[in-house]
Amino acid sequence: MTEHNGKALAVARSYFDAMASKDADKIVSISADDIICTSPIGELNGAAAFRGFQEGFSRMIKKLTLLAAFGDDDQAVIVYNADTHPVPNSIVAEHLIIKDGRIASTRVIYDATPFAAYMATVQPH
Amino acid sequence: MTEHNGKALAVARSYFDAMASKDADKIVSISADDIICTSPIGELNGAAAFRGFQEGFSRMIKKLTLLAAFGDDDQAVIVYNADTHPVPNSIVAEHLIIKDGRIASTRVIYDATPFAAYMATVQPH
């Protein structure tokens, strides 16, 4: 089996498509109940917290563009460009671990600096 | 051919090993003369600039640990943990495009916030 046919890669692709179409229900349906999500904002535990994270992200998304997707039966890595309010082009990588057809964990990797800089401009004075 | 045997993945693995062993000469030897490196600090063009980037990174490295590596004949993605001065655990992803056996470009993805926070503490008062 080549990587392009890996079970984890298939789940990662479904996850990306769900993010791009802002479908939080779909994301949660392919996430483990005890999913662990690590990102620049910290570690989140459980599907409810992960839904909140995804809903917050989806409100920012203008367009997601997949740049790379690789994986095997157990894990996958996706790289995508996020055109968002407020940061036009942010490159994001996610390293997903898949168990029993669901996302057991994802590490979300991106530079939070531009987002923090934006937030600083919209804080009440 | 499976992804694990891809030519680009092999170059990406050599690149990771060279970073982990702080071997800038090796890194440059597998980089295109006109390599493009994008990262939170901006876009660098050419092997000389890339060498400077890598030498700066190598001075910070305490230990690099590879977490994932996938690729085919044309591109690869690596994810690694960087234990550095000053940030103990920084997750980095790189998306590499390989041409003619050399790195044509790499997108280096990580959260620069902890590094900026550290730099703020060491600025002259």
Side-chain angles (χ1 to χ4, degrees):
Chain A
M1 174 181 289
T2 67
E3 309 309 315
H4 283 117
N5 297 318
K7 293 174 188 170
L9 179 58
V11 175
R13 286 184 175 280
S14 294
Y15 167 64
F16 174 80
D17 290 343
M19 278 196 297
S21 58
K22 306 184 181 189
D23 187 344
D25 290 338
K26 172 68 178 178
I27 292 172
V28 171
S29 77
I30 56 173
S31 299
D33 294 343
D34 59 350
I35 185 171
I36 300 169
C37 171
T38 54
S39 79
I41 65 169
E43 180 177 306
L44 299 172
N45 290 278
F50 190 54
R51 175 189 283 274
F53 177 81
Q54 291 291 342
E55 288 178 344
F57 183 42
S58 78
R59 282 191 291 272
M60 301 167 62
I61 293 172
K62 292 167 72 177
K63 185 180 183 186
L64 298 189
T65 305
L66 190 64
L67 301 174
F70 290 104
D72 55 24
D73 282 347
D74 303 312
Q75 52 181 307
V77 178
I78 56 175
V79 180
Y80 53 94
N81 185 77
D83 178 8
T84 74
H85 313 276
V87 181
N89 290 293
S90 184
I91 303 294
V92 184
E94 297 199 36
H95 177 203
L96 302 111
I97 308 296
I98 309 296
K99 290 179 184 166
D100 301 326
R102 292 187 174 198
I103 306 167
S105 68
T106 181
R107 303 174 199 269
V108 187
I109 309 161
Y110 63 93
D111 183 15
T113 312
F115 295 91
Y118 172 78
M119 291 308 292
T121 67
V122 295
Q123 295 296 318
H125 295 283
Chain B
M1 175 182 287
T2 68
E3 309 309 314
H4 283 116
N5 297 317
K7 293 175 189 171
L9 179 58
V11 174
R13 285 186 176 279
S14 295
Y15 167 64
F16 175 79
D17 291 343
M19 277 196 297
S21 57
K22 306 184 180 189
D23 189 343
D25 289 339
K26 173 68 177 177
I27 293 172
V28 171
S29 77
I30 55 174
S31 298
D33 293 344
D34 58 351
I35 185 171
I36 299 169
C37 171
T38 55
S39 78
I41 66 169
E43 180 177 306
L44 299 172
N45 290 278
F50 191 55
R51 174 188 283 273
F53 177 81
Q54 290 292 341
E55 288 178 343
F57 183 41
S58 79
R59 283 190 291 271
M60 301 168 60
I61 295 172
K62 293 168 72 178
K63 185 180 182 185
L64 298 188
T65 305
L66 191 63
L67 301 175
F70 291 104
D72 55 24
D73 282 348
D74 302 312
Q75 52 180 307
V77 178
I78 57 175
V79 180
Y80 53 94
N81 184 78
D83 178 7
T84 73
H85 313 277
V87 181
N89 291 293
S90 183
I91 304 294
V92 185
E94 297 198 36
H95 178 203
L96 302 111
I97 307 296
I98 309 296
K99 290 180 185 166
D100 301 327
R102 292 188 174 197
I103 306 167
S105 67
T106 181
R107 302 175 200 269
V108 187
I109 309 162
Y110 63 93
D111 182 15
T113 312
F115 295 91
Y118 172 79
M119 291 308 291
T121 69
V122 295
Q123 296 295 317
H125 293 285

